[in-house]
Amino acid sequence: MAKPRPYPLHGILVLSLPGQGGSSALTSHYFDPNADHGEIRDRLAHWFSLWGIPVGHTANFATDLEESFFETVWCSEVPQHLHGPQTVRYYAANGEKVLDTLREYRPRVIIVLSAYLYEALASEVMASRVTAVIGKALGPARRITAQRLKAMEQRFEHCRVLVLPTPSKNTTDDYVRSLTAPVREALSEAGFELDEAPDTLSDAAKALLVLDEKATLQKWENQLRIEPERALSLLKALVKQGIISAPDEKGRRFVKRLP
Protein backbone atom coordinates (compact mmCIF):
# COMPACT_ATOMS: atom_id res chain seq x y z
CA MET A 1 0.00 0.00 0.00
CA ALA A 2 1.32 3.43 -0.95
CA LYS A 3 2.29 5.68 1.92
CA PRO A 4 0.36 8.93 2.43
CA ARG A 5 2.08 11.87 0.82
CA PRO A 6 3.09 14.68 3.19
CA TYR A 7 1.05 17.83 2.75
CA PRO A 8 2.92 20.83 1.34
CA LEU A 9 4.01 23.62 3.64
CA HIS A 10 2.74 27.09 2.64
CA GLY A 11 0.59 25.56 -0.09
CA ILE A 12 -3.02 25.87 -1.24
CA LEU A 13 -5.57 24.34 1.12
CA VAL A 14 -9.00 23.26 -0.14
CA LEU A 15 -11.64 23.05 2.61
CA SER A 16 -14.60 20.87 1.64
CA LEU A 17 -17.87 19.85 3.25
CA PRO A 18 -18.32 16.50 5.00
CA GLY A 19 -19.13 13.75 2.54
CA GLN A 20 -18.03 15.77 -0.48
CA GLY A 21 -14.24 15.68 -0.39
CA GLY A 22 -11.68 13.02 -1.10
CA SER A 23 -12.05 9.87 0.98
CA SER A 24 -8.60 8.35 0.48
CA ALA A 25 -5.17 9.44 1.66
CA LEU A 26 -3.24 11.72 -0.66
CA THR A 27 -0.59 9.44 -2.20
CA SER A 28 0.28 11.61 -5.19
CA HIS A 29 -0.15 15.27 -6.00
CA TYR A 30 -3.75 16.43 -5.64
CA PHE A 31 -4.54 16.75 -9.36
CA ASP A 32 -2.81 13.54 -10.50
CA PRO A 33 -5.39 11.98 -12.89
CA ASN A 34 -4.21 8.48 -11.96
CA ALA A 35 -5.07 8.99 -8.28
CA ASP A 36 -8.58 8.77 -6.84
CA HIS A 37 -8.77 11.99 -4.87
CA GLY A 38 -12.52 12.49 -5.01
CA GLU A 39 -15.23 14.23 -6.99
CA ILE A 40 -14.37 17.68 -5.62
CA ARG A 41 -10.84 17.28 -7.04
CA ASP A 42 -12.29 16.35 -10.43
CA ARG A 43 -14.61 19.36 -10.48
CA LEU A 44 -11.82 21.70 -9.39
CA ALA A 45 -9.58 20.37 -12.16
CA HIS A 46 -12.28 21.37 -14.64
CA TRP A 47 -12.64 24.79 -13.02
CA PHE A 48 -8.92 25.43 -13.29
CA SER A 49 -9.04 24.57 -16.98
CA LEU A 50 -11.74 27.23 -17.40
CA TRP A 51 -9.47 29.72 -15.61
CA GLY A 52 -6.68 29.02 -18.09
CA ILE A 53 -4.55 27.17 -15.52
CA PRO A 54 -3.61 23.64 -16.66
CA VAL A 55 -3.73 20.96 -13.97
CA GLY A 56 -4.00 17.19 -14.22
CA HIS A 57 -0.47 16.21 -15.17
CA THR A 58 0.79 12.83 -14.01
CA ALA A 59 3.03 12.63 -10.97
CA ASN A 60 6.24 12.61 -13.04
CA PHE A 61 5.31 15.86 -14.79
CA ALA A 62 3.56 17.74 -11.98
CA THR A 63 3.91 21.51 -11.86
CA ASP A 64 4.90 23.37 -8.71
CA LEU A 65 1.32 24.63 -8.48
CA GLU A 66 -0.09 21.10 -8.57
CA GLU A 67 2.37 20.01 -5.91
CA SER A 68 1.13 22.83 -3.68
CA PHE A 69 -2.49 21.66 -3.37
CA PHE A 70 -4.04 19.59 -0.61
CA GLU A 71 -7.57 19.10 0.68
CA THR A 72 -9.07 18.80 4.14
CA VAL A 73 -12.64 17.63 4.70
CA TRP A 74 -13.94 19.79 7.54
CA CYS A 75 -15.28 16.95 9.69
CA SER A 76 -16.55 13.40 9.21
CA GLU A 77 -20.29 14.10 9.27
CA VAL A 78 -23.07 16.52 10.16
CA PRO A 79 -26.16 15.55 12.17
CA GLN A 80 -29.05 14.86 9.79
CA HIS A 81 -31.37 17.32 11.52
CA LEU A 82 -29.07 20.27 10.72
CA HIS A 83 -29.46 22.02 7.37
CA GLY A 84 -28.13 25.15 5.70
CA PRO A 85 -27.25 28.00 8.10
CA GLN A 86 -28.01 25.70 11.05
CA THR A 87 -24.77 23.86 10.31
CA VAL A 88 -22.50 26.87 10.94
CA ARG A 89 -22.49 26.52 14.72
CA TYR A 90 -21.80 22.79 14.39
CA TYR A 91 -18.88 23.39 12.03
CA ALA A 92 -17.46 26.02 14.38
CA ALA A 93 -17.64 23.60 17.30
CA ASN A 94 -16.02 20.82 15.26
CA GLY A 95 -13.21 22.67 13.53
CA GLU A 96 -10.22 21.27 15.41
CA LYS A 97 -8.96 19.29 12.42
CA VAL A 98 -9.01 22.44 10.31
CA LEU A 99 -7.20 24.44 13.00
CA ASP A 100 -4.57 21.73 13.32
CA THR A 101 -4.08 21.77 9.53
CA LEU A 102 -3.68 25.56 9.50
CA ARG A 103 -1.15 25.51 12.32
CA GLU A 104 0.92 22.69 10.82
CA TYR A 105 0.96 23.64 7.14
CA ARG A 106 0.33 27.41 7.17
CA PRO A 107 -1.24 27.71 3.69
CA ARG A 108 -0.78 30.84 1.61
CA VAL A 109 -4.16 30.38 -0.09
CA ILE A 110 -7.30 28.76 1.33
CA ILE A 111 -10.11 27.80 -1.04
CA VAL A 112 -13.24 27.41 1.08
CA LEU A 113 -15.90 25.47 -0.82
CA SER A 114 -18.91 26.67 1.15
CA ALA A 115 -20.09 29.98 2.57
CA TYR A 116 -21.12 28.07 5.72
CA LEU A 117 -17.55 26.89 6.28
CA TYR A 118 -16.32 30.46 5.84
CA GLU A 119 -18.86 31.64 8.44
CA ALA A 120 -17.56 28.96 10.81
CA LEU A 121 -13.97 30.19 10.30
CA ALA A 122 -15.13 33.73 11.08
CA SER A 123 -17.22 32.69 14.10
CA GLU A 124 -16.47 33.79 17.65
CA VAL A 125 -15.40 30.22 18.42
CA MET A 126 -12.75 30.01 15.70
CA ALA A 127 -11.82 33.49 14.46
CA SER A 128 -9.07 34.32 16.96
CA ARG A 129 -7.40 30.91 16.53
CA VAL A 130 -7.56 31.21 12.74
CA THR A 131 -6.05 34.70 12.65
CA ALA A 132 -3.32 33.60 15.06
CA VAL A 133 -2.04 31.56 12.12
CA ILE A 134 -2.98 33.49 8.97
CA GLY A 135 -2.73 36.97 10.45
CA LYS A 136 -5.22 39.77 10.83
CA ALA A 137 -7.73 40.55 8.10
CA LEU A 138 -6.55 43.39 5.85
CA GLY A 139 -10.12 44.33 5.03
CA PRO A 140 -13.60 42.86 4.80
CA ALA A 141 -14.50 40.05 2.43
CA ARG A 142 -15.52 41.30 -1.02
CA ARG A 143 -17.64 39.73 -3.70
CA ILE A 144 -15.73 38.61 -6.79
CA THR A 145 -18.58 38.00 -9.22
CA ALA A 146 -21.60 40.01 -10.29
CA GLN A 147 -23.61 36.83 -10.72
CA ARG A 148 -26.26 35.80 -8.21
CA LEU A 149 -24.37 32.86 -6.72
CA LYS A 150 -22.01 34.41 -4.18
CA ALA A 151 -18.23 34.05 -4.26
CA MET A 152 -15.86 36.13 -2.13
CA GLU A 153 -12.22 36.92 -1.49
CA GLN A 154 -10.54 38.18 1.66
CA ARG A 155 -6.93 39.13 2.33
CA PHE A 156 -5.12 38.36 5.54
CA GLU A 157 -1.57 39.20 6.58
CA HIS A 158 -0.20 35.78 5.62
CA CYS A 159 -2.93 34.26 3.48
CA ARG A 160 -5.56 34.82 0.80
CA VAL A 161 -8.98 33.24 1.30
CA LEU A 162 -11.26 32.43 -1.63
CA VAL A 163 -14.82 31.49 -0.71
CA LEU A 164 -16.36 29.61 -3.62
CA PRO A 165 -19.61 27.65 -3.88
CA THR A 166 -19.52 23.90 -3.53
CA PRO A 167 -19.52 22.43 -7.06
CA SER A 168 -23.09 21.71 -8.12
CA LYS A 169 -25.46 22.09 -11.06
CA ASN A 170 -25.54 25.83 -10.27
CA THR A 171 -21.80 26.29 -10.79
CA THR A 172 -22.07 26.38 -14.57
CA ASP A 173 -19.08 26.94 -16.82
CA ASP A 174 -20.23 30.52 -17.46
CA TYR A 175 -20.39 31.15 -13.71
CA VAL A 176 -16.97 29.61 -13.10
CA ARG A 177 -15.43 31.69 -15.90
CA SER A 178 -16.72 34.85 -14.18
CA LEU A 179 -14.25 34.08 -11.37
CA THR A 180 -11.22 33.91 -13.67
CA ALA A 181 -9.61 37.27 -12.87
CA PRO A 182 -9.88 37.19 -9.04
CA VAL A 183 -8.75 33.55 -8.78
CA ARG A 184 -5.71 34.11 -11.00
CA GLU A 185 -4.91 37.32 -9.11
CA ALA A 186 -5.13 35.60 -5.71
CA LEU A 187 -2.80 32.79 -6.75
CA SER A 188 -0.32 35.10 -8.46
CA GLU A 189 -0.17 37.60 -5.60
CA ALA A 190 0.36 34.72 -3.16
CA GLY A 191 3.51 33.87 -5.11
CA PHE A 192 2.35 30.87 -7.17
CA GLU A 193 3.52 30.59 -10.78
CA LEU A 194 0.63 29.89 -13.15
CA ASP A 195 2.45 27.58 -15.56
CA GLU A 196 0.62 27.78 -18.86
CA ALA A 197 0.83 25.72 -22.01
CA PRO A 198 0.11 27.47 -25.33
CA ASP A 199 -3.53 28.55 -25.75
CA THR A 200 -4.61 27.61 -22.22
CA LEU A 201 -6.03 31.11 -21.80
CA SER A 202 -7.91 31.16 -25.09
CA ASP A 203 -11.27 29.96 -23.78
CA ALA A 204 -11.07 32.22 -20.74
CA ALA A 205 -10.13 35.16 -22.96
CA LYS A 206 -13.06 34.53 -25.33
CA ALA A 207 -15.43 34.45 -22.37
CA LEU A 208 -14.25 37.92 -21.33
CA LEU A 209 -14.80 39.64 -24.67
CA VAL A 210 -16.93 42.72 -23.98
CA LEU A 211 -19.56 43.81 -26.47
CA ASP A 212 -20.17 47.56 -26.83
CA GLU A 213 -23.89 47.33 -27.50
CA LYS A 214 -24.47 50.82 -28.88
CA ALA A 215 -21.44 50.69 -31.17
CA THR A 216 -22.40 47.24 -32.40
CA LEU A 217 -26.01 48.21 -33.18
CA GLN A 218 -24.79 51.32 -35.03
CA LYS A 219 -22.31 49.30 -37.06
CA TRP A 220 -24.96 46.76 -38.00
CA GLU A 221 -27.34 49.52 -39.08
CA ASN A 222 -24.70 51.18 -41.25
CA GLN A 223 -22.99 48.15 -42.78
CA LEU A 224 -25.93 45.78 -42.99
CA ARG A 225 -28.30 48.56 -44.10
CA ILE A 226 -30.99 47.66 -41.59
CA GLU A 227 -33.36 49.67 -39.42
CA PRO A 228 -32.63 50.12 -35.67
CA GLU A 229 -35.53 47.81 -34.81
CA ARG A 230 -34.08 45.07 -37.01
CA ALA A 231 -30.62 45.51 -35.48
CA LEU A 232 -32.07 45.19 -31.97
CA SER A 233 -34.02 42.11 -33.05
CA LEU A 234 -30.79 40.59 -34.35
CA LEU A 235 -29.08 41.29 -31.03
CA LYS A 236 -31.90 39.58 -29.14
CA ALA A 237 -31.66 36.57 -31.45
CA LEU A 238 -27.93 36.20 -30.71
CA VAL A 239 -28.69 36.36 -26.98
CA LYS A 240 -31.31 33.64 -27.41
CA GLN A 241 -28.76 31.49 -29.27
CA GLY A 242 -26.32 31.87 -26.37
CA ILE A 243 -23.68 33.70 -28.42
CA ILE A 244 -24.08 37.00 -26.54
CA SER A 245 -24.93 37.36 -22.85
CA ALA A 246 -27.78 39.34 -21.35
CA PRO A 247 -26.51 42.65 -19.87
CA ASP A 248 -24.81 42.42 -16.47
CA GLU A 249 -25.31 44.82 -13.57
CA LYS A 250 -23.19 47.46 -15.34
CA GLY A 251 -25.11 47.10 -18.59
CA ARG A 252 -22.29 45.30 -20.38
CA ARG A 253 -22.81 42.36 -22.68
CA PHE A 254 -20.24 39.62 -23.23
CA VAL A 255 -19.50 37.32 -26.14
CA LYS A 256 -20.24 33.95 -24.56
CA ARG A 257 -19.56 31.77 -27.56
CA LEU A 258 -18.01 32.52 -30.93
CA PRO A 259 -20.01 31.10 -33.86
Side-chain angles (χ1 to χ4, degrees):
M1 180 180 295
K3 293 182 179 180
R5 182 175 182 270
Y7 285 171
L9 190 65
H10 307 306
I12 301 167
L13 170 63
V14 177
L15 292 179
S16 56
L17 290 166
Q20 296 189 8
S23 57
S24 59
L26 194 67
T27 57
S28 181
H29 77 80
Y30 184 62
F31 287 108
D32 184 350
N34 296 323
D36 181 10
H37 291 154
E39 181 180 352
I40 291 295
R41 186 282 305 267
D42 296 341
R43 296 295 297 274
L44 279 179
H46 176 63
W47 288 12
F48 272 81
S49 72
L50 296 177
W51 296 328
I53 304 170
V55 294
H57 302 91
T58 58
N60 291 337
F61 299 97
T63 65
D64 290 341
L65 184 73
E66 289 171 318
E67 296 276 5
S68 297
F69 271 85
F70 62 110
E71 179 185 356
T72 292
V73 180
W74 190 281
C75 56
S76 58
E77 59 183 2
V78 179
Q80 292 185 354
H81 68 279
L82 296 179
H83 303 282
Q86 300 171 345
T87 61
V88 173
R89 183 177 295 179
Y90 180 85
Y91 291 139
N94 292 272
E96 286 301 324
K97 182 169 74 169
V98 172
L99 291 169
D100 288 343
T101 300
L102 294 180
R103 285 190 287 261
E104 185 169 0
Y105 300 105
R106 300 183 177 271
R108 279 183 280 167
V109 174
I110 304 173
I111 298 176
V112 187
L113 292 179
S114 166
Y116 300 141
L117 297 184
Y118 169 74
E119 290 178 31
L121 286 172
S123 68
E124 184 177 351
V125 175
M126 295 189 69
S128 61
R129 290 190 286 174
V130 170
T131 56
V133 179
I134 67 175
K136 296 179 181 179
L138 300 180
R142 66 179 184 92
R143 291 196 64 154
I144 56 174
T145 177
Q147 297 200 29
R148 181 184 60 81
L149 194 59
K150 186 183 294 185
M152 299 182 295
E153 185 256 7
Q154 190 171 17
R155 300 172 186 235
F156 292 80
E157 290 177 303
H158 312 304
C159 185
R160 298 283 288 267
V161 176
L162 292 168
V163 186
L164 309 182
T166 299
S168 70
K169 65 179 181 180
N170 295 320
T171 52
T172 63
D173 285 1
D174 282 344
Y175 171 80
V176 173
R177 287 191 186 98
S178 77
L179 308 175
T180 299
V183 169
R184 291 178 63 88
E185 177 187 89
L187 294 175
S188 295
E189 291 191 1
F192 293 100
E193 293 288 335
L194 304 184
D195 296 325
E196 293 161 358
D199 300 326
T200 54
L201 283 177
S202 60
D203 287 340
K206 290 175 184 177
L208 296 172
L209 289 172
V210 179
L211 177 66
D212 185 326
E213 182 175 332
K214 291 183 179 179
T216 298
L217 291 173
Q218 188 67 57
K219 191 171 184 178
W220 286 352
E221 291 170 25
N222 293 339
Q223 297 192 17
L224 301 179
R225 303 295 183 183
I226 56 178
E227 296 297 321
E229 295 79 8
R230 181 69 183 91
L232 186 59
S233 176
L234 178 59
L235 181 71
K236 291 179 179 179
L238 293 178
V239 172
K240 189 173 182 180
Q241 294 172 32
I243 295 173
I244 298 173
S245 73
D248 65 9
E249 294 177 353
K250 296 181 180 179
R252 300 171 301 181
R253 294 183 184 273
F254 295 83
V255 179
K256 296 171 62 177
R257 169 170 68 84
L258 296 180

